[in-house]
Amino acid sequence: RQSYNMPDIEYWIANSTFGPQAVYLDGDYCDGTLAACTADDSFASYVSKGIRYIAPPMQMLLKATNGRYEASEYAVAAKAAGLKIITWTLERSGPLQTGGGWYFATTRDITNRDGDVYEMLHVLFSKVGIEGIFSDWPATVTFYANCKLHPMQRRASTCGA
């Protein structure tokens, strides 16, 4: 289960067997800097309440640094607090040649071709350390998971050698 409503999350943790898997959807919609986002002490508070999973939008987890995608301050602080991260929503925007729209607000300056989604996805998994990602079109995530995350199981015909 998932919710933006903290009392829902707290109730599920206290009263249900699936409580430990409850996902708190972070609706701050900030730029990924700690100055603009939830402070470190909020992450510690989440953990003390038994929250294990948070789910902010992608833009809160990424920043553009020297022409590259990098983990945001928010992402680093959440992981340091021990939280697991699920993010949203991949491939909800139109073509990336125009910057990708709202979900790419913090990386718009370096997002200019559709293939950038793979670089971004790689940083989300390898540097941010996400557990999962919501996607409107799962083909991209499935391709990435099959070819990059599980390379021993990949087939040359599917992953391009």
Side-chain angles (χ1 to χ4, degrees):
R1 300 216 174 188
Q2 61 190 11
S3 180
Y4 287 102
N5 189 17
M6 184 60 74
D8 289 347
I9 302 295
E10 292 169 337
Y11 178 84
W12 294 331
I13 289 170
N15 297 294
S16 69
T17 57
F18 61 81
Q21 287 86 13
V23 179
Y24 177 58
L25 298 167
D26 191 337
D28 268 352
Y29 307 136
C30 65
D31 67 4
T33 61
L34 290 181
C37 297
T38 304
D40 289 335
D41 59 346
S42 292
F43 293 137
S45 172
Y46 296 166
V47 171
S48 71
K49 293 177 181 182
I51 296 171
R52 296 182 185 171
Y53 292 90
I54 59 170
M58 293 183 311
Q59 69 182 27
M60 291 171 60
L61 300 175
L62 295 170
K63 65 180 180 178
T65 304
N66 298 320
R68 300 173 59 103
Y69 297 101
E70 296 290 337
S72 70
E73 293 173 0
Y74 174 101
V76 172
K79 291 300 283 188
L83 292 165
K84 295 179 180 181
I85 301 171
I86 299 171
T87 193
W88 47 276
T89 293
L90 190 68
E91 298 188 306
R92 181 144 222 187
S93 302
L96 299 184
Q97 66 196 25
T98 58
W102 185 81
Y103 292 99
F104 297 84
T106 57
T107 58
R108 186 173 292 125
D109 293 343
I110 63 169
T111 304
N112 54 30
R113 59 189 177 88
D114 288 339
D116 289 342
V117 73
Y118 288 105
E119 291 179 41
M120 184 192 65
L121 193 54
H122 184 65
V123 170
L124 285 167
F125 275 100
S126 67
K127 293 186 179 179
V128 173
I130 63 170
E131 298 289 319
I133 187 166
F134 294 103
S135 178
D136 287 4
W137 301 97
T140 300
V141 175
T142 302
F143 178 83
Y144 179 83
N146 287 338
C147 297
K148 190 68 176 172
L149 297 180
H150 306 291
M152 298 302 291
Q153 299 170 8
R154 72 181 181 183
R155 294 189 291 205
S157 62
T158 304
C159 300

